[in-house]
Amino acid sequence: MDVSHILEHLNEQQRTAVTSEKQHLLVLAGAGSGKTRVLVHKIAWEVEALRKNPASIMAVTFTNKAALEMRSRIEELLETPIMDGWVGTFHGLAHRILKRFYKEAGLSAGFTILDADDQLRIIKRISKELGFEESVWPSRQSQWQINAWKDEGFRSNSVDDKGDYFKESINKIYKEYEKVCLRDNLVDFGELLLRSYELIRDDASVKAFFHSRFKSILVDEFQDTNTIQYNWLLEIASAKTSITAVGDDDQSIYGWRGAKVENVDSFTKTFDKTEIVRLEQNYRSTNTILAAANTLIENNTSRLGKNLWTDKVEGEQITLYQAYNEQDEARFVADILKDWMSKGEMYSDAAVLYRSNAQSRALEEALLRSSIPYRIYGGQRFYERMEIKNAIAYLKIIFNNSDNPAFERSISNPTRGVGEKTLAKIRSTASKYNISYIKASAKLIDDGSISGRGGTGLKSYLEFIARCKEFIQDNTLSDLMEEIIKTSGLTAYHMKEPGEKGKTRVENLEELVSATTNFEESIREEKTNIEIAEQYLDMISLDSGDRQASEHDDAAQLMTLHSAKGLEFKLVLIIGLEETLFPHGRSMENPEQLQEERRLCYVGITRAMEKLYITYTESRRLHGSDTFNPPSRFIKEIPKELIDEIRPRAQTHIPYNRKDFKETRLEFEDEIGISLGQRVKHKSFGEGVVLNYEGSGDAARIQINFDSAGTKWLVMAYANLEKL
C-alpha cells in the first residue's frame, strides 16, 4: 500500500515524529508548529504503514471540540470511518471505561453523571446536615477542595488532614459525600477519572484487557495533564504499549487548575529511553515576533528547550506604547483597530489580550464610544458579569424603590436567610396592596409577619438601604459604590468562591469603584451626587443593550491571555504590561508562579501572526485604586532592537533603554509647562501627581491625583501650581 501521501506537506521534524517507531516519544511542539497535524498523521501512519488496528490506538485530548476535529481529520486521511476508535477527552474515555466495566467498578448500570451544579447542591445539603454554617464553610469552597483532592488521587480515607482543622472539617463533608454518591449511584467529573484509574489499578482482569487492547496511546496538550490523568495513562499502558506525548512545556499556563508542567519532564524520567523530537518551525508568526518570544522564555529555568524559527518574512518591529493611564491606553487600542480596519482588514483578525478580567471595562467603554464592534471571547461584558449585576442591583434599589427585580437580586446576594418562602410572602403582600416589594417588606416587618432568621436578615437589609440613601447626600457615587460592595457583604460573599473565580469576581467589584470614579470625573457641569448617580444608572442601562457582537459578526476579539491559548490573529495587542498586573502581584514572591506568568506572556506573544503591540501605563486606576507601577520585567526581557516605542499623540520616538520615566516626561513639558508624573502643590488641594492633560499652553486642562483630595481636572491658566 502506498503511504507516501501521509508524509506529504510535512517538514523534516514533523516526519521524524510521525515515522518514529520508538516506544516512548515526546514531541515538544512549539507554538504554531503543527502539533495537531503531527498527531493526526502519526495515527494514520500507524494504521496504514505499521498495519495497526485503529481500535488498538487511543488518542486523548482535553476538549470535545479538539477530539471531534482529531477524529474527523484522521478519517479524512484514512478515507474511512473509525468505527471502534478510542479518540476522546480524558473524561469521555474514562466514562466509556466505567460504562463497560460498571460492575467491576462497583456501580450500577445506569449510574448518573453529576454536573457541577448538582454536585454543589448535594455538598450544601450534607454541610447543613453536619452543622456547617454556609457563611463560615462555603459549599463552593468545599466542592473545590474535594475536586482538588480527587485530581490528586485522594479518597477521603487517604487525605492527610491531621493537625489541619480546615482539611479535617472538609474531609468530614467528603466522607459523607462519598457515601451519598455510592448509595445513589452518582459519579461526578473528578470521580470518572479517579474511579476508572482505581479500577484498572486494582482489577487484574480489567488491567489485562486494556494492556492487550492498546498498542499505541497518543496524548495531546501533555503539559496540561494533572496528577490523576498522568497516573491514569500509566495504568492503561502496558510494558509494550507505545506512548506518544505531544505538548509544550513553554505553554503550560494552567497550574492554578492543577496542571503539572513537571509531567513533561517526568515522562522522560519514567521512560529513560524516550526519544525527544522538537517541532521548532513556526507557520504562524514573523521572525521578529518569534525572536521576542524565544528571548523572553529563555529566562525560565528547567525548560527542555527549543527555539522557534520561520521561513516567513522578518516582519515589523513590535510597537511598545507608553500610555498615561488606562483610558489613554484604551483610546490607543481603539485608534489602532480603526486604522487596521481602514486598511481593508477584518476586525475579527485582531485581538486585544489582557491579564486581568477587570481590564476589559475601560476597553469596552472606548470601543463603544468609537463604534467598534467587539466580542468578549469566552466571557461576558463587564456590566453583564454576575458580581457586577449584584452590586448594581443595590444602586438601583437605592434610587428606585419600585425596582422589584433589583430588590430580589440584592436581597439574595449575599444570602441573608431570606429564602423563597419569605420572598413569596413579600410578593403576595406587594400584589395585595399594589405596592413595591421593598414597601411590602417594611409592612411585613412592622406587622411582625416575618420573624426568625428571615425577619432579621430582611430588617438588616432594609436598614442598610436606608443608610445608603442618607450616605449619598454627603458622599460621592464612588464612595457609595465602595460602601455597597464592602458593607453589603458582597466582597466577602464572592471571596468565598474558590480559586481564581472568587479572586476575579472581587477584582471586578473593585474595578466597578474605578468605573464610578471615572464617570464622576467625566461630568463637566455642576451636578449633585444624586444626579450623578442617576445619570450613571441611565448610562449603564443604555450601555447594557445587545451591543456585543454575535459570534458570526466581524468584530474585534477581547479576551484574557488564558483564553487566547490555541488561537491566532493577524494583529494582537497585549495591554497592561506593568509589574503587579502582569506579572500578577500574586506571583511576585513565588518563582514557580512567576515562571508560569512568563509562559503566559510567551503564549500571548505567539498568538500574533503579523503585527504585535504591547502597552503599559504610567498610572492605572484598577480595582478601585490608583497605582504607579513600573513597566513589566517582561518588556525588558525582549531585545531592544525588536521594539519601536512610541507616543502616537506627540509623534515622538522614545529611547527604549531609559533609567526612569523622567526623560520621556520632559518631552511634553514644552507643551503644557509641566511634565507628566511631576509632583505639584495646589493651595487648596495640597500635593499631588500629574496624570494626564488635554490641550496645550494656558488653555490646557490637567488631571492631578491629589494625596488628600483625590483626582481632579484643573485649567492650567487658573491652577497656580507649584512644582515640587
Side-chain angles (χ1 to χ4, degrees):
M1 179 183 287
D2 181 18
V3 294
S4 60
H5 68 284
I6 296 175
L7 303 180
E8 284 178 356
H9 312 301
L10 298 180
N11 65 37
E12 185 179 344
Q13 292 170 316
Q14 291 171 336
R15 280 198 195 98
T16 299
V18 166
T19 60
S20 172
E21 294 188 30
K22 290 282 187 178
Q23 185 180 358
H24 302 114
L25 175 67
L26 176 62
V27 181
L28 289 177
S33 64
K35 153 181 80 68
T36 306
R37 173 186 286 260
V38 165
L39 261 175
V40 167
H41 283 250
K42 186 166 183 63
I43 292 170
W45 179 262
E46 292 195 350
V47 172
E48 295 203 346
L50 304 184
R51 313 303 297 162
K52 290 185 180 179
N53 186 331
S56 72
I57 299 172
M58 176 186 279
V60 194
T61 187
F62 277 83
T63 67
N64 289 320
K65 182 180 177 182
L68 287 170
E69 182 188 354
M70 193 185 297
R71 178 183 284 270
S72 174
R73 288 172 66 172
I74 293 167
E75 291 177 341
E76 187 178 337
L77 262 181
L78 295 177
E79 298 181 342
T80 184
I82 304 173
M83 301 308 295
D84 193 26
W86 286 67
V87 179
T89 64
F90 278 98
H91 289 99
L93 295 173
H95 179 231
R96 185 171 173 181
I97 289 170
L98 292 180
K99 291 293 281 185
R100 181 159 189 165
F101 296 101
Y102 65 88
K103 286 182 182 177
E104 292 83 349
L107 296 167
S108 301
F111 67 83
T112 300
I113 297 179
L114 277 178
D115 64 21
D117 288 341
D118 288 337
Q119 182 191 37
L120 180 63
R121 206 168 289 115
I122 292 170
I123 290 171
K124 272 186 177 177
R125 189 179 73 240
I126 291 170
S127 299
K128 187 175 181 181
E129 289 170 353
L130 291 176
F132 288 101
E133 184 67 37
E134 179 69 21
S135 60
V136 181
W137 297 96
S139 298
R140 286 190 184 278
Q141 191 174 46
S142 301
Q143 179 186 36
W144 179 85
Q145 182 61 72
I146 290 168
N147 289 336
W149 279 331
K150 288 193 176 190
D151 285 345
E152 289 293 320
F154 296 136
R155 291 289 181 196
S156 62
N157 59 11
S158 60
V159 170
D160 182 12
D161 60 7
K162 299 297 180 285
D164 188 322
Y165 181 66
F166 171 79
K167 286 184 178 179
E168 283 183 2
S169 300
I170 294 185
N171 202 22
K172 290 177 183 176
I173 299 170
Y174 188 13
K175 282 184 171 71
E176 290 304 311
Y177 174 71
E178 283 182 322
K179 291 177 185 175
V180 169
C181 289
L182 190 63
R183 182 194 70 204
D184 296 344
N185 208 30
L186 305 172
V187 176
D188 60 43
F189 287 109
E191 186 73 12
L192 287 170
L193 274 163
L194 179 55
R195 188 169 286 247
S196 60
Y197 159 72
E198 292 171 338
L199 167 68
I200 300 166
R201 182 195 65 189
D202 300 336
D203 192 304
S205 63
V206 174
K207 179 179 283 192
F209 172 85
F210 286 110
H211 283 190
S212 62
R213 174 70 182 253
F214 294 123
K215 308 301 180 192
S216 257
I217 296 176
L218 300 94
V219 190
D220 192 13
E221 303 286 11
F222 193 73
Q223 78 280 350
D224 292 337
T225 54
N226 60 26
T227 299
I228 193 64
Q229 289 162 343
Y230 185 77
N231 292 336
W232 183 84
L233 289 164
L234 296 183
E235 285 297 332
I236 286 182
S238 73
K240 296 179 180 179
T241 305
S242 298
I243 306 178
T244 298
V246 182
D248 183 2
D249 54 338
D250 290 334
Q251 294 189 75
S252 180
I253 59 174
Y254 296 119
W256 48 278
R257 278 190 198 165
K260 306 280 189 183
V261 64
E262 53 266 33
N263 285 350
V264 178
D265 193 40
S266 295
F267 187 85
T268 63
K269 293 172 181 173
T270 302
F271 307 108
D272 57 4
K273 293 182 180 178
T274 296
E275 179 183 10
I276 299 178
V277 176
R278 290 173 171 81
L279 303 185
E280 297 174 303
Q281 183 174 0
N282 176 282
Y283 292 93
R284 175 187 299 154
S285 307
T286 65
N287 267 303
T288 297
I289 291 166
L290 295 181
N294 286 332
T295 312
L296 172 87
I297 203 65
E298 282 172 4
N299 290 279
N300 272 3
T301 58
S302 305
R303 296 174 60 232
L304 290 173
K306 62 186 173 311
N307 200 57
L308 296 179
W309 62 275
T310 183
D311 56 12
K312 293 176 73 174
V313 297
E314 195 66 25
E316 293 183 47
Q317 283 181 293
I318 296 166
T319 300
L320 177 65
Y321 181 62
Q322 175 193 331
Y324 310 134
N325 55 29
E326 76 281 359
Q327 292 173 320
D328 179 33
E329 179 183 61
R331 285 193 296 266
F332 173 73
V333 169
D335 288 344
I336 294 300
L337 291 174
K338 274 198 165 180
D339 182 60
W340 173 256
M341 190 66 173
S342 71
K343 294 174 181 175
E345 298 287 355
M346 303 279 286
Y347 278 131
S348 54
D349 285 330
V352 188
L353 314 181
Y354 37 83
R355 176 62 181 87
S356 170
N357 200 275
Q359 287 172 264
S360 80
R361 197 265 312 164
L363 277 173
E364 291 183 62
E365 289 179 1
L367 297 185
L368 284 169
R369 281 196 301 269
S370 300
S371 300
I372 295 174
Y374 71 90
R375 188 167 72 90
I376 306 285
Y377 181 89
Q380 296 172 306
R381 294 176 65 227
F382 184 77
Y383 286 108
E384 291 173 353
R385 293 168 190 163
M386 181 182 79
E387 60 277 15
I388 301 303
K389 285 185 171 183
N390 289 345
I392 294 298
Y394 282 92
L395 205 58
K396 287 180 175 180
I397 197 66
I398 289 165
F399 292 99
N400 179 9
N401 282 175
S402 298
D403 192 332
N404 292 336
F407 169 86
E408 290 211 43
R409 188 175 194 100
S410 55
I411 192 70
S412 304
N413 293 287
T415 53
R416 297 176 166 81
V418 180
E420 189 54 42
K421 285 184 180 178
T422 302
L423 284 173
K425 192 176 285 187
I426 292 169
R427 293 188 198 106
S428 175
T429 302
S431 176
K432 180 179 178 181
Y433 293 99
N434 194 26
I435 55 177
S436 67
Y437 288 1
I438 201 166
K439 286 183 178 177
S441 300
K443 179 175 175 50
L444 289 167
I445 291 292
D446 291 342
D447 294 348
S449 302
I450 297 178
S451 57
R453 188 162 173 249
T456 303
L458 186 58
K459 186 178 180 183
S460 172
Y461 168 84
L462 293 174
E463 289 171 350
F464 174 67
I465 299 300
R467 285 200 308 274
C468 286
K469 278 188 170 183
E470 292 178 12
F471 185 88
I472 192 62
Q473 300 291 334
D474 301 311
N475 293 275
T476 65
L477 168 63
S478 53
D479 290 336
L480 175 61
M481 185 55 72
E482 193 166 8
E483 177 73 8
I484 288 169
I485 288 168
K486 290 180 179 176
T487 311
S488 70
L490 275 175
T491 298
Y493 174 62
H494 287 299
M495 183 69 84
K496 288 172 184 174
E497 291 189 66
E500 287 293 311
K501 184 178 285 187
K503 293 168 187 171
T504 297
R505 291 202 196 280
V506 172
E507 286 178 352
N508 283 334
L509 286 172
E510 291 167 347
E511 182 60 16
L512 186 57
V513 178
S514 296
T516 51
T517 304
N518 289 341
F519 183 80
E520 288 166 342
E521 291 171 1
S522 72
I523 303 296
R524 299 286 192 258
E525 64 272 24
E526 287 294 321
K527 286 183 178 292
T528 66
N529 292 331
I530 293 174
E531 287 172 334
I532 290 172
E534 289 173 340
Q535 195 171 331
Y536 177 70
L537 284 171
D538 289 342
M539 183 273 290
I540 291 174
S541 298
L542 291 170
D543 197 36
S544 295
D546 190 17
R547 301 289 292 278
Q548 178 164 308
S550 71
E551 189 174 351
H552 305 293
D553 290 342
D554 180 36
Q557 308 292 300
L558 275 55
M559 66 191 74
T560 63
L561 283 143
H562 282 97
S563 298
K565 187 169 178 286
L567 304 176
E568 61 183 27
F569 304 90
K570 286 184 181 180
L571 169 68
V572 169
L573 300 100
I574 307 177
I575 67 168
L577 265 84
E578 299 127 40
E579 291 289 293
T580 74
L581 179 55
F582 192 28
H584 200 286
R586 292 196 292 268
S587 71
M588 304 291 274
E589 303 301 322
N590 186 313
E592 289 181 7
Q593 289 182 14
L594 186 58
Q595 293 203 41
E596 182 159 317
E597 290 287 297
R598 187 175 285 109
R599 292 194 293 269
L600 189 57
C601 188
Y602 173 84
V603 166
I605 290 172
T606 54
R607 298 312 94 194
M609 300 167 72
E610 297 176 5
K611 179 63 183 176
L612 175 65
Y613 287 85
I614 292 174
T615 70
Y616 66 96
T617 65
E618 292 184 26
S619 71
R620 182 181 297 276
R621 179 172 290 155
L622 188 67
H623 309 149
S625 303
D626 288 324
T627 58
F628 302 86
N629 292 316
S632 168
R633 68 192 70 194
F634 300 151
I635 295 175
K636 298 178 179 69
E637 291 170 0
I638 297 173
K640 62 181 180 180
E641 64 270 16
L642 301 179
I643 287 182
D644 178 30
E645 186 167 9
I646 63 167
R647 268 190 187 279
R649 276 186 179 180
Q651 296 299 307
T652 59
H653 289 250
I654 301 170
Y656 175 71
N657 267 344
R658 63 194 181 288
K659 292 178 182 176
D660 53 42
F661 290 115
K662 191 173 180 181
E663 296 173 20
T664 64
R665 288 168 179 151
L666 290 175
E667 296 185 34
F668 301 93
E669 191 161 0
D670 291 341
E671 293 183 38
I672 62 171
I674 203 162
S675 63
L676 292 165
Q678 171 79 54
R679 282 196 69 81
V680 294
K681 186 174 182 179
H682 186 272
K683 66 177 182 179
S684 299
F685 302 130
E687 294 184 14
V689 177
V690 178
L691 299 182
N692 202 351
Y693 78 96
E694 294 176 351
S696 59
D698 285 345
R701 294 176 69 250
I702 186 168
Q703 185 187 37
I704 304 170
N705 180 35
F706 290 103
D707 299 344
S708 301
T711 303
K712 297 188 181 297
W713 282 92
L714 304 175
V715 178
M716 278 300 296
Y718 310 108
N720 295 321
L721 296 170
E722 176 190 344
K723 295 182 187 179
L724 298 178

